Amino acid sequence: MSDSLKDQLLGLGFKAAPKPERTERKPEPKREHRPSGGDRPRGTQPGTGKPGGGKPGAPRDGRGPRGPRPDQRGGGKPRTQEEIDLAKAYALRAETEKRERIAAEQAKQEAARVRREAKAKLDAFLVGKALNDAAAEHARHFPYGGKIKRIHVTPDQLKALNAGELGVVQSNGRYLLVTAVVLAEAKALFPDAVALEVDPNAPPGSDEYADPQYQVPDDLVW
């Protein structure tokens, strides 16, 4: 608007438009920035800014739930190579001894099985082959199993026994008088069952219990 027009308007009673007042903007208060889950520094607990330990109750000293790690000693010091090698040697030795014990036990069980089977075959083989005479009166003594045993025979059986023509086999707790042929087969099946085997070619006096002086009465307990 030109100054002349402005003056004419003012002359007619018009007032000039008031100038807008200038207001000062107050600074906004600073807002505290609280980091979110993604902005939180690593290793701090939410809302505290303090170092966190992960899960509640998790150890922070390098220890596991059951003590120090295998590569650490007391104080968190790593084990030396010598200590590691020694631990490996102990573990290897323990494993070897374990295998040896298992192998020994298996061998023992196998030997027991073989023995049972051999004894069963012998018992079946001896059925009906015993020559024991219920009326025999002579006691023939012989060593067996670390003790002195005896079997009752007739006079003829005693001579045949001392000549090696007969023999004695132990079966089911009994001592059976058998022929030399049966004795040889029994020995092949189960050698431990042979209780008395006289060698006819042995020099005289090798079997001291064959002497008649060792024949004792049946009612004498010794």
Side-chain angles (χ1 to χ4, degrees), residues 41 47 88 99 102:
K88 290 181 178 179
R99 288 197 298 266
I102 294 175

Side-chain angles (χ1 to χ4, degrees), residues 36 77 79 82 104 128 149 205:
S36 62
K77 297 180 180 179
R79 296 191 301 178
E82 181 180 359
K149 304 297 182 179

Side-chain angles (χ1 to χ4, degrees), residues 3-194:
D3 293 338
S4 58
L5 179 60
K6 180 179 180 180
D7 294 338
Q8 292 177 9
L9 293 174
L10 292 174
L12 293 174
F14 291 96
K15 295 182 178 181
K19 296 182 179 181
E21 295 182 0
R22 192 173 179 183
T23 60
E24 296 184 358
R25 296 181 61 186
K26 296 183 179 181
E28 296 182 358
K30 294 183 178 181
R31 299 175 61 184
E32 181 181 356
H33 178 69
R34 306 183 77 176
S36 62
D39 299 334
R40 185 169 60 250
R42 187 175 182 181
T44 60
Q45 296 180 354
T48 62
K50 297 181 181 180
K55 295 181 180 180
R60 304 186 185 93
D61 56 356
R63 294 171 176 266
R66 298 185 179 178
R69 295 197 302 265
D71 59 343
Q72 290 188 345
R73 298 180 299 175
K77 297 180 180 179
R79 296 191 301 178
T80 63
Q81 185 62 39
E82 181 180 359
E83 291 175 328
I84 295 175
D85 294 341
L86 186 60
K88 290 181 178 179
Y90 280 138
L92 181 61
R93 179 179 177 182
E95 183 65 22
T96 301
E97 291 178 349
K98 180 181 178 181
R99 288 197 298 266
E100 291 176 350
R101 288 194 301 269
I102 294 175
E105 181 62 25
Q106 290 176 345
K108 182 179 179 181
Q109 294 178 358
E110 178 64 14
R113 183 190 65 80
V114 172
R115 183 181 178 88
R116 288 193 303 269
E117 292 180 356
K119 192 173 183 303
K121 291 180 180 179
L122 174 66
D123 294 339
F125 169 73
L126 292 174
V127 174
K129 295 181 175 64
L131 303 176
N132 298 63
D133 190 343
E137 298 178 354
H138 295 278
R140 175 62 161 89
H141 294 80
F142 55 92
Y144 179 68
K147 297 181 180 180
I148 302 301
K149 304 297 182 179
R150 67 180 179 180
I151 185 173
H152 289 88
V153 295
T154 63
D156 292 338
Q157 289 175 338
L158 179 60
K159 293 178 182 180
L161 187 58
N162 293 336
E165 298 173 0
L166 299 178
V168 179
V169 180
Q170 193 270 351
S171 176
N172 293 324
R174 294 182 59 204
Y175 294 98
L176 307 179
L177 188 67
V178 296
T179 64
V181 176
V182 174
L183 183 68
E185 295 185 21
K187 187 175 182 179
L189 289 173
F190 191 43
D192 292 345
V194 176

